Amino acid sequence: MARPRKPLLSRDRIVGAASALVDAEGLEAVSTRRLAAELGVSGPSLYNHFRNKDEILDAVADAVSAQVDLSMFEDADPRDWPAALHDWAVSYRAALAEHPHIVPVLAQGPGRRPAGLRVADAVFGAMVRAGWPPAQATYIGALMRYFITGSALGSFARGFVDDETAYDPADYPHLGQAHLLADRRQQVDEGAFETGLRALLDGLELQFQQVADGRAVRP
């Protein structure tokens, strides 16, 4: 009987293995030697597809960007620009929440990553079509990325320990319930994200009214 053939090495297989390592152990777990062992191939064979570890991590980051819903920015979609930005931001944060260890790579910007560039193109194009001046549309894309990636870099609630004695009322008179935050991490973090997103969009709508009225918006 013929021996079963090993699956051919491909970019997708390498990215999948690297993504699993990043999710499980963080960025530092990824090396060409470790990936080769995980895939059952020789280390040099990886270089037929990627030049180095940084290119592999770029591809992992781009695979996460590809998970972000962009349908709200299509011409046929009925959502106005604030609703589109809101729904896109929620989708983007959800993708990052599934893969938090890759966020530092994504936070550097899209570079040459195809999916990342499609995200930037979709947001910028939708804002310009809505009536934003190109410069302001650029600023909006930047501030949304700052806000979304920043929210995914860490957990506010997880920054507090669940030991009530750590928050002596003599020293911290307003933190009497802080020890409960860790158990409510998802509720706190999602609530904070939604509160900030709504405030951000409300502010942008006020600025947009100035644009519509022909008043200059300060850079």
Side-chain angles (χ1 to χ4, degrees), residues 16-193:
S19 180
L21 275 178
V22 172
D23 286 346
E25 301 179 35
L27 295 173
E28 295 306 314
V30 179
S31 68
T32 53
R33 178 179 296 181
R34 177 78 182 274
L35 280 174
E38 294 283 336
L39 292 164
V41 299
S42 63
S45 64
L46 298 179
Y47 297 115
N48 293 324
H49 302 275
F50 295 98
R51 289 182 297 178
N52 51 45
K53 170 183 171 177
D54 287 342
E55 280 197 357
I56 295 172
L57 291 177
D58 259 0
V60 171
D62 212 38
V64 174
S65 293
Q67 299 173 19
V68 180
D69 182 15
L70 298 177
S71 64
M72 64 287 296
F73 297 128
E74 295 174 358
D75 289 341
D77 193 279
R79 281 168 281 192
D80 60 11
W81 68 264
L85 276 184
H86 175 276
D87 294 348
W88 165 71
V90 171
S91 174
Y92 196 174
R93 182 177 180 273
L96 299 188
E98 290 292 319
H99 309 280
H101 293 149
I102 200 64
V103 173
V105 179
L106 281 163
Q108 296 170 9
R112 296 177 181 270
R113 304 177 202 131
L117 289 172
R118 282 193 290 273
V119 171
D121 181 75
V123 174
F124 178 80
M127 295 306 100
V128 171
R129 287 196 306 274
W132 283 99
Q136 290 298 125
T138 299
Y139 301 154
I140 290 170
L143 74 89
M144 294 298 290
R145 183 165 64 84
Y146 300 154
F147 176 70
I148 297 165
T149 57
S151 73
L153 280 171
S155 165
F156 175 83
R158 191 174 286 168
F160 294 86
V161 299
D162 61 0
D163 179 3
E164 186 175 3
T165 64
Y167 308 104
D168 189 327
D171 296 320
Y172 316 108
H174 306 296
L175 296 181
Q177 302 295 307
H179 64 287
L180 303 175
L181 291 176
D183 286 338
R184 300 173 184 173
R185 180 180 65 82
Q186 184 174 355
Q187 176 187 353
V188 172
D189 292 344
E190 290 184 357
F193 178 79

